[in-house]
Amino acid sequence: MRAPLAGPRVLLRRLREIMAEPISAQVRLDKIVMQIAANMVAEVCSAYVLRSDGVLELYASEGLKREAVHNVTLKVGQGLVGLIAADARPLNLPDAQSHGAFAYLPETGEEIYHSFLGVPILRAGRALGVLVVQNRAHRTYTDEELEALQTIAMVLAEMIAAGDLEGLSRTGAPLDIARPVTIPGKGFCDGVGIGRVVLHEPRVVVTNLIADDTARERDRLTNALTSLRLSVDDMLARGDVAQGGEHREVLEAYRMFAHDRGWVRRMEEAIVTGLTAEAAVERVQNDTRARLQRQTDPYLSERLHDFDDLANRLLRVLMGRGDGALGKDLPADAIVVARNMGAAELLDYDRTRVRGLVLEDGTPTSHVTIVARALGIPTVGRAENVVQLAENEDAIIVDGETGSVHLRPSADVVFAYNEKVQFRAERQQRYRMLREQPAVTRDGTAVSLSVNAGLLVDLPHLGESGAEGIGLFRTELQFMIASKLPRISEQAALYRSVLDAASGRPVTFRTLDIGGDKVLPYLRVENEENPAMGWRAIRFGLDRPGLFRTQIRALLLAAGGSVLRVMIPMVTDVSEMVEARKLIDRELAHFDKHGHKPPLRILVGAMVEVPALLWQLDALMRISDFVSVGTNDLFQFMTATDRGNLRVANRFDPLSAPFLTALRSVAEAGRAANTPVTLCGEIAGQPLAAMALLGLGYRSLSMAPASVGPVKAMLLALDIPRLEGVLGGLLAHPGLPDGIRAGLRAFAQESDIPV
Ligand code: PEP
Ligand code: MG
């Protein structure tokens, strides 16, 4: 037998009236369950609320014994109600007692009811309680009834989230969704940031749930979908994504979902039940999220993010919010929270107000991380689900040292972190005191420490860190943050400011390294399957010499009268160095002819970041004035692990025999040919790895400015000959159970070397 349904719209209208009545929360809840039971012709309707101790408590019931209310409890996972909360999935059963999870609770008197329909009370994909209807007769509830119950559960979720049910229970409090959470992640940039959440893509909170005019809501949804589809098409047509890459794939997925008939139909059906268009989007998204969260397939759980983003965009359109302009109304202690972002997007924020960055994705060597490090922003990556858990304005602490994020921290955590900040400030003070001290090891070996830079904002760090110079100036960053190709005069002006700021200290300008994860919004290049190994850096420079030559001219203009150091990225074959040098010489001849003041000297160096160069080292050292090892790329290509792919980026350890052996061969070849060798990949800034590099023969390292202090503190305590002995032993027995990293750490510990 099917019970006639008086209609979810009637029920929602009644619900709205109940919500407006000046009555206590308990009376309101009692009235709600009574209305649901009457409307759905159910003999029982019960609301269970999840308490903060993880127990589901019966908060209201029509039909079950009165004394059961606030006395009956179930653990999550226990009984049918517990199962619904655990799985965040509805149960529709004609005969509840024959279900394996059924738990008999004598206090309720429910044994006479056979059919059972229960739905989770969901908010942001999390179950805050369970809403149940029951009938004596064996019956299967219709989809319409199921949807009506899910809709009402949303209203209850808002009541719980707003704290309306606080104080009703005699023994516990409802789960506080604003409770503190600690999210483990990976420290990408050292430092501690205490502040307030700024969601990079702000989420919209829907508070207006119930509507009278269904036709109007449907039109609103249709219009919003049209404008959403147009904006996705627009984004796809834009230059920055037109050439492909991960960003494009995500947008392609958006386009597919935006046209997904099932999605649209489900939202339309939710509107028919009496919801506003925005509430319908959220309802359907709650379901999708609950469904996809249970997926173990990484591809499908990744799609959840896409659906979340898309639903959020749709909500913004519906609620007339723009894309949430960056930097506007930014609090002075902003901690930016994002799934991921491009380097240029981070630079859009007012640096003086950003205290930290939290990313769900990202990798330690991706570009946004490198920029965050350049800006000295404490950063934690791979903080799972943080975008979902955080709300704008929430208090948050980012600990780049331990890689943890504390959302809505308790008072003790805040206190502990204030202490930690104080302690770190003292340590920074000690590093500052090291600034004037020469970087010489205990055995008297001088080491040159330089900084990596790429933007004007980096320049003050040169003096603050006490570095000897700029070992790597990534010129592409200027191009990446510009909206159009920087003119020669603009390029020259930046290079001039860099040389001025360095006041005589050496600066190594790397020519444009575009491609891979470094894309220029205005430069259309072909869609490449594998851009990191594609037409990038010097390959592009030699094939299309216009851009390369303009850059060389800008460098010559800037460096008149001083030494110019130019470094070529992604050299794969020594002949490319010969070609590059020819182009440079040609520009120099042209320059002389026009009577400009030439640089005092031009030194041309190669980056060693493609493994093929390891077998051309003698020739390379002969024709290069210097070389610099780019371990970020060298490691990526030697181990065939994409540096930007978080699933594999950390799979292998750079402090392993094959990689260290390769690095040693470069240092040795440089020494034999008397060609200076530097190392400028991210590992140079990690004290333990930097120690290993000194053991391999490196005497010049270039790193993020904030690493200079810790690396110098390490080397002041280091005795290189002793390390060489230990490292030689570790490399000779690469199969040691704890690995080379552990062996080096033990050496540092027993020698009192801070790493
Ligand atoms: C490297 O590859 O190690 C390097 C320093 O260059 P980038 O990180 O800019 O690719
Ligand atoms: Mg590189």
Side-chain angles (χ1 to χ4, degrees), residues 510 513 609 633 643:
R510 179 174 71 182
D513 182 6
E609 46 185 355
D633 276 317
R643 65 193 263 188

Side-chain angles (χ1 to χ4, degrees), residues 183-189 357-361 378-383 398-405:
I183 306 164
K186 290 262 183 279
F188 283 178
C189 176
L357 173 66
V358 184
L359 301 172
E360 262 181 35
D361 297 349
T379 303
V380 169
R382 308 207 200 162
V398 184
D399 186 341
E401 188 180 318
T402 61
S404 45
V405 176

Side-chain angles (χ1 to χ4, degrees), residues 37-64:
N39 183 276
M40 293 179 70
V41 198
E43 279 117 13
V44 175
C45 176
S46 313
Y48 293 82
V49 174
L50 183 63
R51 296 193 320 219
S52 51
D53 56 1
V55 167
L56 289 151
E57 176 178 319
L58 181 64
Y59 261 57
S61 181
E62 170 69 16
L64 296 186

Side-chain angles (χ1 to χ4, degrees), residues 88-384:
R89 196 169 19 179
L91 274 182
N92 185 355
L93 306 168
D95 182 17
Q97 282 145 45
S98 64
H99 190 285
F102 180 80
Y104 175 55
L105 300 171
E107 335 55 310
T108 61
E110 64 180 334
E111 60 278 10
I112 50 173
Y113 303 109
H114 291 284
S115 43
F116 175 104
L117 175 65
V119 299
I121 298 173
L122 289 176
R123 195 163 192 272
R126 202 158 5 143
L128 303 183
V130 175
L131 186 60
V132 175
V133 292
Q134 289 170 282
N135 280 80
R136 280 173 200 263
H138 290 264
R139 55 173 290 231
T140 303
Y141 297 88
T142 62
D143 286 350
E144 204 186 3
E145 286 169 312
L146 170 65
E147 275 167 24
L149 207 59
Q150 283 176 317
T151 298
I152 295 154
M154 262 178 82
V155 178
L156 292 182
E158 283 312 310
M159 278 177 79
I160 298 174
D164 291 355
L165 306 190
E166 215 62 59
L168 297 190
S169 165
R170 285 184 286 273
T171 43
L175 177 70
D176 181 5
I177 57 163
R179 75 190 194 287
V181 209
T182 296
I183 306 164
K186 290 262 183 279
F188 283 178
C189 176
D190 195 14
V192 171
I194 303 182
R196 280 180 291 158
V197 169
V198 171
L199 288 171
H200 181 55
E201 297 203 300
R203 203 171 40 250
V204 183
V205 178
V206 180
T207 45
N208 183 17
L209 296 169
I210 304 167
D212 275 335
D213 189 346
T214 306
R216 179 171 171 272
E217 294 306 310
R218 201 168 342 164
D219 285 350
R220 287 183 63 226
L221 179 69
T222 308
N223 292 339
L225 277 166
T226 309
S227 99
L228 174 76
R229 288 170 186 152
L230 283 175
S231 78
V232 174
D233 288 348
D234 239 29
M235 281 188 278
L236 272 163
R238 247 174 31 202
D240 50 346
V241 293
Q243 68 266 46
E246 205 178 341
H247 191 172
R248 185 178 178 92
E249 278 163 34
V250 170
L251 287 176
E252 291 282 11
Y254 281 1
R255 173 142 72 183
M256 200 174 80
F257 295 145
H259 287 88
D260 184 294
R261 290 219 187 141
W263 185 51
V264 176
R265 182 179 41 75
R266 289 201 303 280
M267 290 189 292
E268 283 173 350
E269 284 168 2
I271 287 178
V272 175
T273 66
L275 289 181
T276 58
E278 44 273 50
V281 176
E282 180 143 304
R283 236 293 318 274
V284 170
Q285 192 49 23
N286 271 342
D287 283 356
T288 312
R289 203 180 289 128
R291 246 182 318 120
L292 290 179
Q293 260 168 1
R294 287 190 304 273
Q295 289 291 341
T296 44
D297 179 336
Y299 175 80
L300 285 176
S301 46
E302 183 61 21
R303 297 285 73 78
L304 167 62
H305 281 310
D306 297 342
F307 255 125
D308 263 341
D309 283 356
L310 195 70
N312 208 26
R313 273 172 203 272
L314 187 56
L315 284 177
R316 284 211 291 267
V317 178
L318 275 165
M319 296 174 78
R321 313 261 173 93
D323 269 339
L326 307 177
K328 272 199 201 139
D329 305 325
L330 204 60
D333 54 355
I335 308 275
V336 179
V337 175
R339 253 189 87 189
N340 209 346
M341 65 168 85
E345 286 175 287
L346 178 59
L347 289 162
D348 276 346
Y349 284 94
D350 175 354
R351 169 65 194 106
T352 60
R353 291 171 171 264
V354 176
R355 295 282 160 83
L357 173 66
V358 184
L359 301 172
E360 262 181 35
D361 297 349
T363 64
T365 54
S366 65
H367 245 239
V368 61
T369 310
I370 287 172
V371 170
R373 214 171 284 140
L375 296 172
I377 300 175
T379 303
V380 169
R382 308 207 200 162
E384 214 172 292

